[in-house]
Amino acid sequence: MNNSHTYNLFPEILPYRSDWLNVSARHQIYFEECGNPAGPAVIFLHGGPGSGCNPAQRRYFDPAHYRIILLDQRGCGRSHPHGGTEENTTDLLVSDIEQLREHLGIDRWLVFGGSWGSTLALCYAIAHPDKVRGLILRGIFLSRPSELDWFLGDVKHFYPEAWQKLLAYLPEEDRGDVLQAYGKLVFNDDPAISAPAATRWNAFEGSIMTLLPGKNEGSASNEVQIARARVQIHYIKNLCFVGQRDLLQEAKVLAHIPTVIVQGRYDMVCPPISAYELHAAMPHAALHMVPDAGHSGMEAGTLSALVAATEEFKKL
């Protein structure tokens, strides 16, 4: 990968197609396509769990070259039911991605995933290695207990204010189990209870995303806040449905798949140890540790490394 050149996002682009795919009797997932319909396909897997895709994420890819596909995972973004956690597991998301590939008539594709999307990309590649031309993984998350303990506690060593703000919302007696306490509030049927709790929960992750404080992205609606928090809490409570697996061991079967790992050195959401250990399990992968970045995929160094990777994969 050429690290001497600084890359930026490609210009804004609109989808030439957006639609929903019925993946089960309960769930419809939103997907969109933009760029070059005749080009090699790339699928973008968003983070969260729970967040959904956004227009900026189309811009990591050269639209003259790639057929760019984004989807909102079950319960996320424009998918239905919004915030739905029933029949919502990692294995089912992997199956949805494969259903979408078949639906779109794509033989093999490049798989790009950041944060939770990196977990999902790995799980998909492990399940369907013959369908993956390459992997671009950012902000590695493997859903190990140590990583979840970091996010819901140990990060206070660096962000005591953010952690205190998360705790302060809860009654004193509920602060011993933050996940349980917020889960109870966020899943309450009364939006007057669930919406402010969901907003506070989501703001915590938002406040530790970047190395330097970022600009406020504006506030999402109560419905979006609740859906996002519900899906994320549902996944975290279940160790993201991969807690019983050793993804580092399983990833060794991907040695034939060209892979780029991009990691912010000061990532406080998904600490760099996971990227380092994934690289040890996949020594053929290129590891790009961005020296001046946190977790966000939109910080300058991380963004440049990701676009450099998509440019490099044009040669495949």
Side-chain angles (χ1 to χ4, degrees), residues 32 66 70 72 84-85 96 107 246 297:
E32 59 181 45
Y66 285 108
L70 284 77
D72 288 340
T85 56
D96 294 349
D107 181 33
D246 183 348

Side-chain angles (χ1 to χ4, degrees), residues 5 24 34 36 41-42 48 83 89 95 101 105 111 117 127 131 142 152 166 177 185 211 213 234 260 262 291:
H5 185 82
S24 77
C34 48
N36 177 0
V42 57
T89 68
S95 143
R101 183 193 64 76
V111 179
K131 307 304 179 198
L142 303 170
L152 287 179
L166 188 69
D177 190 339
L185 295 171
L211 178 59
H234 163 70
V260 174
V262 176

Side-chain angles (χ1 to χ4, degrees), residues 13 15 17-19 29-35 42-46 52-61 67-73 78-79 100 104 109 112:
I13 185 175
R17 177 190 184 189
S18 51
D19 205 349
I29 58 165
Y30 168 86
F31 68 92
E32 59 181 45
E33 297 186 75
C34 48
V42 57
I43 177 90
F44 179 94
L45 303 178
H46 66 72
C53 56
N54 67 63
Q57 293 160 345
R58 304 166 188 156
R59 300 174 59 195
Y60 287 117
F61 314 97
R67 178 182 177 185
I68 306 156
I69 297 138
L70 284 77
L71 82 153
D72 288 340
Q73 295 155 28
R78 289 146 289 188
S79 293
L100 181 59
L104 296 176
W109 49 9
F112 182 122

Side-chain angles (χ1 to χ4, degrees), residues 97-106 109 131:
I97 297 165
E98 183 58 5
Q99 256 185 272
L100 181 59
R101 183 193 64 76
E102 289 173 352
H103 178 69
L104 296 176
I106 291 164
W109 49 9
K131 307 304 179 198

